[in-house]
Amino acid sequence: MEIVFLMLLVLSLLLFPNGICKSLATGPPVVNIGSILQFDSTTGGVAAVAIHTALEDINSDPTVLNGTTLKVQMKDTNCFDGFLGMVQALQFMETDVIALIGPQCSTISHMISYVANELQVPLMSFASDATLSSIQFPFFVRTGPSDLYQMAAVAEVVDYNHWKIVTAIYIDNVYGRNGIAALDDALTLKRCKISYKVGFPSNAKRSDLINLLVSVSYMEPRVIVLHTGAEPGLKLFSVANQLNMMGNGYVWIATDWLSAYLDANSSVPAETISGLQGVLTLRPHIPNSKMKSNLVSKWGTQSKKYNYSDLRVNTYGFYVYDSVWAVARALDAFFDDGGRISFSNDLHDGIGGTLHLEAMSIFDMGSKLLEKIRKVNFSGISGQVQFDAVGNLIHPAYDIINVIGNGMRTIGFWSNYSGLLSTVSPEALYSKPPNISLADQHLYDVIWPGETAQRPRGWVFPSNAKQLKIGVPNRFSFKEIVTVDNATGSMKGYCIDVFTQALALLPYPVSYKFVPFGNGTENPNYDKLVQMIESNEFDAAIGDIAITMRRTVTFDFTQPFIETGLVILAPVKEHITSSWAFLQPFSLEMWCVTGLFFLIVGVVIWVLEHRINDDFRGSVCQQIITIFSFSFSTLFFAHRENTMSALGRGVLIIWLFVVLIIVSSYTASLTSILTVQQLDTSIKGIDDLKNSNDPIGFQVGSFAQDYMVKELNISRSRLRALGSPQEYAEALKIGPKEGGVMAIVDERPYVELFLSTYCKIAVAGTDFTSRGWGFAFPRDSPLQVDLSTAILSLSENGELQRIHSKWLNTGECTTDNSEFVDSNQLRLESFLGLFLICGVACVLALLLYFGIMLCKYLRHEPRKSLRRFISFVHGKEPPKNMERRSMSLPGSSTPTTPMGSFSSLDMERPARPVRNGSVIDMES
């Protein structure tokens, strides 16, 4: 029997080595874990019940730990008293435990993480402080979501509602400060910012909170992010209600402390919940599952059992429950891999004191257990329990919650998987590719403080705010744009009307005063004007301020209220019509090519018709005259000679079509030249300015100077500053040789005003930049956004055009010379296609003709030479019926040679009849 047993044992080892090893790899009968909590807090009480419940479930599960009982030793600490909490935590570390659950406070977690590293005890913490990381603390394992993700979700809510500035109120400890720092980073990524942040101690008196909130009410933002604990947070909300800061216009966003409190407490006072109406809060997302339902159903019994009957389970309870299970599963893998529980006392007091460090023990195989914890992967109550490369739980997500009525309503979700807000639960998205389109963001409607569904603007002008100082350029020239009214001392002009009309559309009053910038004797420097916003000398700047790339780096501009661009002003002279004006419609090349084609077409038609058409025969002089008369008479479609050949008719039809186009174009161009006033200038566009060395003018204070130097590489020495329309006209009149300029570069609105008075100047070319004028504000100013919307409204209702017509109405000269009229002369390039078609038709017709003639010549003439071929082609072709009779005479056995072909008889020259006393050569 012993032999059979041994054989079976060996066979089992060979067939099932893992199973046998597992059954043999039993751990100690009891393993201790520790827990550091604040028992009298909501989170501490929920965590204590969750730990005990998890231990009961683990120890009653035969598939876990293989008979080893998991026990917990708990320590009560004070989270708010940092020194006392650290002492209590250090005392607890004298206990030999293989893992720690908690602590819940970030302050204690920071301190205890150093100790856990030295003792090599994994610290399973659900503290959310973003600065706690496994990089600094290798034995720190975060079993809940980090504030990095929570603040990213808050920033997404702020950006989704188009708010740009917020106020941050936080508990003044490690948890609060680090959380707001994470919020600041997240908002910066969204081009939002915290304009005012204020902390307060956990034991702050009510009077301190009143002073704090009064200072907040004086600030511009009305979006307030509150990052505290439950007790100080609720106290602050109570004070906010007392100060009427929970009504219309305010937005309160509380971090997950509020949802944790409301979820865990079954009896929240009615006055507390009524004071939270409209508040937004976040809750770590826990997917619905059967395990979750089972824990919730037995929580009441468990909470009574451990003296926390007034607490319900919240998200922290789910995370703590899964943390204990993660330790148990890691211990299973630890024991299976040969791990054992042992401690050693290798700590020494190296600072010359009596700290009794020998009381603390190092977990010898703590690194191995930590490795197993990092590798756990199971479905827990909180979702998939699995850690990423940096030690955070995968797929962090949050519920976005609106406090309304007697409870909370989920209005959407935020998931780090996509980084966007959605009404679809995060677990439904994990099986799909991440959707990062901002257009797909959506939340359900929110009831805001003050019981309104209208989204608050998020900022106001504070009641104690001083008037906005708005810088306005005090112009010397083009005063229609903006200037100081000498009679009243107020500002007036096109830009002032646009600004005041836009302000009238805002749903709130704006207190402001205009501060003239400049002495009024010359145009001010606009770069210096906008820089005074950065130095806080002005709160904004309005006027004819061009929106340039360099300025937008530092300042925010409203929607452009007028489109503008740089154009070139150049002197013009009237083009005088001469006696030879009829030659101007065509360029010289066009005249030459057209005349040449008249001759070519005449010669081609003569060649094609000469053999068969008597109209194209006669003496040499007559034939030359015929060629010229025929070709040029086609210009008027008055040619008398008829074409008999198919090739000749084809060429003539194509040529007549070309003539029709040429004649029509000539007529239209000549009409324009003789009836429309022409302007002439030596400048056609910006390239002419760049290639010249003559001086160029620009308006004082304009960005055109820097643009020409930096963008067009024009030497600064060529530029001349001009301060008024009169200087413009004078400088252009005298020209560069007499100390003036060849042209002026300025913006379109100024040019239109200038041309309404001065008629001997015109715009050369087109706009070579595309810009606009806007009002300048500091970065992220909410007033800039609202004014942009108001300017768009002015544009849509026609008010902007009315203001433009009032101030920038141009005079009579604009219609005559506002644009440079190019010459109407027609060039050869426009007709190359027609001439090409006609030329190809002539060549093809000649090739076909000579091919036919060659075939006839070869068929009828046995003796061949070039001279005889030329004579054959030159000769007249007889009518076809005569040709047939001559080829076969009746009664003759020998066919005669056809007329037009050559034989021995043809060598005799026929008689030359006399007409009017002169001899006519019949062969000609």
Side-chain angles (χ1 to χ4, degrees):
M1 291 296 293
E2 290 83 357
I3 296 175
V4 174
F5 177 77
L6 289 175
M7 292 179 63
L8 290 175
L9 179 60
V10 171
L11 183 62
S12 300
L13 288 172
L14 293 175
L15 295 178
F16 309 103
N18 295 331
I20 297 296
C21 290
K22 183 173 181 179
S23 64
L24 295 177
T26 57
V30 177
V31 174
N32 291 318
I33 62 173
S35 179
I36 302 175
L37 304 170
Q38 183 176 352
F39 294 155
D40 61 351
S41 67
T42 299
T43 300
V46 171
V49 176
I51 292 172
H52 286 298
T53 305
L55 289 177
E56 290 181 8
D57 293 344
I58 291 169
N59 292 329
S60 62
D61 191 338
T63 64
V64 183
L65 292 180
N66 196 27
T68 298
T69 301
L70 195 62
K71 291 187 177 181
V72 64
Q73 300 181 31
M74 291 189 176
K75 181 67 175 179
D76 186 14
T77 60
N78 190 329
C79 281
F80 299 107
D81 189 331
F83 176 76
L84 180 60
M86 287 188 291
V87 171
Q88 293 170 339
L90 286 172
Q91 290 175 344
F92 184 71
M93 295 307 293
E94 297 178 0
T95 308
D96 291 339
V97 292
I98 56 95
L100 281 173
I101 307 296
Q104 69 193 67
C105 323
S106 296
T107 303
I108 308 301
S109 295
H110 273 276
M111 186 278 302
I112 209 67
S113 293
Y114 288 104
V115 181
N117 284 349
E118 294 297 326
L119 301 183
Q120 298 186 19
V121 176
L123 182 62
M124 312 291 287
S125 176
F126 48 93
S128 60
D129 184 2
T131 61
L132 287 166
S133 71
S134 59
I135 298 175
Q136 182 181 7
F137 306 114
F139 281 82
F140 175 82
V141 181
R142 192 191 304 276
T143 58
S146 167
D147 275 343
L148 282 176
Y149 303 113
Q150 176 170 211
M151 297 308 175
V154 172
E156 198 68 50
V157 171
V158 171
D159 184 59
Y160 173 80
N161 289 283
H162 308 294
W163 301 317
K164 291 299 180 183
I165 53 176
V166 303
T167 294
I169 303 176
Y170 58 93
I171 191 78
D172 193 9
N173 56 22
V174 173
Y175 160 76
R177 289 190 295 271
N178 292 339
I180 295 303
L183 174 63
D184 204 357
D185 294 340
L187 287 172
T188 301
L189 294 176
K190 299 294 183 181
R191 293 199 63 186
C192 305
K193 68 176 182 179
I194 301 175
S195 65
Y196 181 63
K197 61 179 73 172
V198 56
F200 64 96
S202 57
N203 58 352
K205 298 179 180 179
R206 192 174 185 86
S207 59
D208 296 331
L209 296 180
I210 291 175
N211 293 333
L212 182 151
L213 289 177
V214 168
S215 66
V216 169
S217 68
Y218 287 158
M219 298 298 120
E220 186 176 289
R222 284 295 181 263
V223 180
I224 304 172
V225 178
L226 185 57
H227 186 54
T228 70
E231 183 179 347
L234 292 175
K235 186 189 298 184
L236 189 137
F237 271 126
S238 174
V239 175
N241 267 299
Q242 179 183 342
L243 298 176
N244 296 321
M245 294 179 65
M246 300 295 295
N248 284 332
Y250 281 92
V251 176
W252 288 86
I253 303 177
T255 50
D256 60 356
W257 64 266
L258 180 57
S259 64
Y261 171 81
L262 295 177
D263 285 335
N265 288 274
S266 56
S267 57
V268 179
E271 61 182 54
T272 299
I273 196 69
S274 65
L276 298 173
Q277 297 299 300
V279 173
L280 294 182
T281 185
L282 282 75
R283 175 202 290 146
H285 178 70
I286 305 296
N288 293 323
S289 65
K290 186 176 181 181
M291 290 186 295
K292 177 182 176 181
S293 301
N294 291 338
L295 179 60
V296 172
S297 63
K298 66 180 180 181
W299 185 268
T301 303
Q302 293 295 108
S303 61
K304 290 179 182 179
K305 181 178 179 181
Y306 297 105
N307 300 321
Y308 291 102
S309 57
D310 58 337
L311 292 181
R312 298 178 299 187
V313 64
N314 61 12
T315 53
Y316 286 106
F318 297 134
Y319 283 119
V320 171
Y321 182 88
D322 283 344
S323 299
V324 180
W325 269 95
V327 173
R329 291 179 183 274
L331 278 173
D332 249 352
F334 174 78
F335 291 140
D336 289 346
D337 198 22
R340 56 187 178 82
I341 306 297
S342 63
F343 298 89
S344 59
N345 299 101
D346 292 338
L347 291 176
H348 300 285
D349 185 0
I351 60 175
T354 56
L355 293 179
H356 302 292
L357 297 180
E358 67 276 2
M360 298 184 185
S361 301
I362 298 175
F363 181 19
D364 294 329
M365 302 190 74
S367 298
K368 189 169 187 176
L369 177 60
L370 176 66
E371 178 186 354
K372 301 303 180 183
I373 290 175
R374 296 284 191 198
K375 292 182 178 179
V376 296
N377 186 357
F378 65 95
S379 296
I381 293 179
S382 62
Q384 191 67 24
V385 181
Q386 183 182 356
F387 300 99
D388 59 19
V390 295
N392 290 320
L393 288 171
I394 63 171
H395 299 325
Y398 284 88
D399 301 341
I400 312 300
I401 295 172
N402 183 202
V403 180
I404 180 173
N406 295 324
M408 299 180 290
R409 182 173 68 97
T410 300
I411 61 171
F413 307 92
W414 177 90
S415 169
N416 187 57
Y417 182 70
S418 65
L420 301 178
L421 300 172
S422 174
T423 54
V424 180
S425 62
E427 57 269 17
L429 302 175
Y430 297 150
S431 60
K432 304 175 183 178
N435 181 9
I436 58 175
S437 173
L438 295 176
D440 293 334
Q441 286 203 124
H442 180 62
L443 291 177
Y444 293 119
D445 293 336
V446 180
I447 301 300
W448 303 100
E451 298 182 358
T452 177
Q454 183 177 1
R455 178 169 54 198
R457 189 172 64 251
W459 71 279
V460 296
F461 285 104
S463 57
N464 67 333
K466 58 184 179 181
Q467 286 183 322
L468 293 179
K469 290 193 300 182
I470 300 178
V472 184
N474 186 12
R475 294 189 57 86
F476 170 70
S477 61
F478 300 110
K479 294 187 176 183
E480 296 88 347
I481 302 295
V482 60
T483 190
V484 175
D485 189 343
N486 295 326
T488 63
S490 60
M491 305 299 297
K492 65 177 183 178
Y494 169 70
C495 297
I496 299 297
D497 278 8
V498 173
F499 179 73
T500 55
Q501 290 295 323
L503 280 184
L505 296 179
L506 299 185
Y508 49 86
V510 178
S511 178
Y512 65 92
K513 64 177 179 179
F514 292 135
V515 180
F517 177 75
N519 53 24
T521 59
E522 63 177 2
N523 294 332
N525 187 303
Y526 283 69
D527 285 333
K528 292 182 179 179
L529 171 61
V530 294
Q531 285 170 5
M532 293 181 73
I533 301 175
E534 189 177 15
S535 61
N536 294 323
E537 295 181 58
F538 290 144
D539 298 308
I542 70 169
D544 49 333
I545 305 173
I547 303 174
T548 64
M549 183 188 69
R550 189 162 56 88
R551 292 171 181 171
T552 56
V553 172
T554 312
F555 310 99
D556 279 348
F557 284 86
T558 61
Q559 172 79 16
F561 55 86
I562 186 173
E563 295 298 328
T564 179
L566 291 178
V567 294
I568 301 171
L569 275 174
V572 296
K573 59 182 179 180
E574 186 175 349
H575 186 81
I576 305 300
T577 304
S578 67
S579 302
W580 299 93
F582 68 90
L583 295 177
Q584 291 180 4
F586 287 166
S587 64
L588 179 61
E589 295 85 355
M590 182 66 181
W591 280 116
C592 293
V593 172
T594 303
L596 180 62
F597 260 83
F598 271 107
L599 295 177
I600 291 174
V601 172
V603 171
V604 170
I605 296 295
W606 176 83
V607 170
L608 298 176
E609 297 290 326
H610 171 69
R611 184 175 170 81
I612 61 174
N613 194 337
D614 290 339
D615 291 339
F616 291 88
R617 300 187 67 84
S619 65
V620 174
C621 182
Q622 285 180 324
Q623 293 182 61
I624 292 175
I625 293 173
T626 300
I627 290 174
F628 275 92
S629 63
F630 175 81
S631 59
F632 285 101
S633 62
T634 57
L635 179 63
F636 311 103
F637 306 97
H639 50 284
R640 294 182 299 173
E641 294 81 4
N642 293 322
T643 53
M644 300 178 62
S645 65
L647 291 176
R649 291 172 180 171
V651 171
L652 182 60
I653 290 174
I654 294 176
W655 173 242
L656 290 178
F657 174 74
V658 173
V659 169
L660 176 65
I661 299 299
I662 292 175
V663 170
S664 301
S665 302
Y666 174 86
T667 304
S669 180
L670 182 61
T671 302
S672 176
I673 290 173
L674 296 178
T675 60
V676 179
Q677 181 186 27
Q678 299 293 301
L679 300 177
D680 191 13
T681 181
S682 59
I683 299 173
K684 301 297 188 293
I686 191 62
D687 291 334
D688 293 334
L689 290 185
K690 294 171 64 177
N691 297 331
S692 171
N693 293 319
D694 293 328
I696 303 171
F698 68 92
Q699 184 181 169
V700 174
S702 172
F703 76 96
Q705 179 184 18
D706 287 340
Y707 181 86
M708 287 188 284
V709 172
K710 296 178 180 179
E711 302 296 333
L712 303 181
N713 297 319
I714 296 176
S715 174
R716 195 178 292 272
S717 61
R718 293 180 55 197
L719 304 182
R720 303 286 186 270
L722 304 173
S724 67
Q726 293 78 14
E727 291 184 29
Y728 280 24
E730 183 64 23
L732 290 173
K733 180 180 179 181
I734 62 178
K737 294 182 180 180
E738 302 294 333
V741 296
M742 70 177 299
I744 295 173
V745 174
D746 206 350
E747 295 180 77
R748 170 70 67 174
Y750 305 123
V751 169
E752 291 178 353
L753 284 173
F754 175 79
L755 293 178
S756 65
T757 305
Y758 296 90
C759 302
K760 297 296 183 180
I761 300 168
V763 173
T766 59
D767 299 19
F768 55 90
T769 64
S770 178
R771 283 186 170 86
W773 290 348
F775 303 140
F777 289 89
R779 297 291 286 176
D780 301 320
S781 170
L783 188 59
Q784 172 260 335
V785 178
D786 290 348
L787 272 179
S788 293
T789 304
I791 290 172
L792 288 174
S793 298
L794 290 177
S795 176
E796 292 176 357
N797 63 23
E799 185 65 18
L800 205 59
Q801 181 60 42
R802 188 195 65 79
I803 299 173
H804 183 280
S805 301
K806 173 185 175 182
W807 290 101
L808 306 182
N809 188 26
T810 55
E812 297 178 355
C813 291
T814 303
T815 57
D816 294 334
N817 61 358
S818 62
E819 296 289 344
F820 172 70
V821 182
D822 291 332
S823 174
N824 288 321
Q825 191 176 61
L826 300 174
R827 302 184 181 277
L828 178 62
E829 292 81 1
S830 303
F831 299 91
L832 279 179
L834 286 173
F835 287 130
L836 180 62
I837 293 173
C838 184
V840 170
C842 291
V843 172
L844 291 178
L846 289 175
L847 290 177
L848 288 173
Y849 175 75
F850 283 112
I852 294 171
M853 291 297 102
L854 183 60
C855 291
K856 288 184 178 181
Y857 173 73
L858 295 177
R859 186 168 63 247
H860 298 294
E861 178 54 48
R863 293 177 296 172
K864 302 173 179 63
S865 68
L866 180 61
R867 182 177 179 181
R868 294 179 66 84
F869 175 71
I870 294 174
S871 299
F872 175 79
V873 174
H874 185 64
K876 179 174 176 60
E877 182 174 333
K880 293 183 178 181
N881 55 359
M882 184 182 297
E883 182 179 355
R884 287 194 294 268
R885 288 197 300 270
S886 64
M887 291 179 64
S888 180
L889 295 175
S892 174
S893 60
T894 303
T896 62
T897 302
M899 183 177 181
S901 62
F902 292 88
S903 66
S904 58
L905 297 176
D906 294 327
M907 300 304 295
E908 298 180 4
R909 190 172 183 85
R912 293 179 291 179
V914 178
R915 179 185 296 173
N916 298 329
S918 62
V919 180
I920 300 176
D921 188 357
M922 295 302 294
E923 290 293 329
S924 299

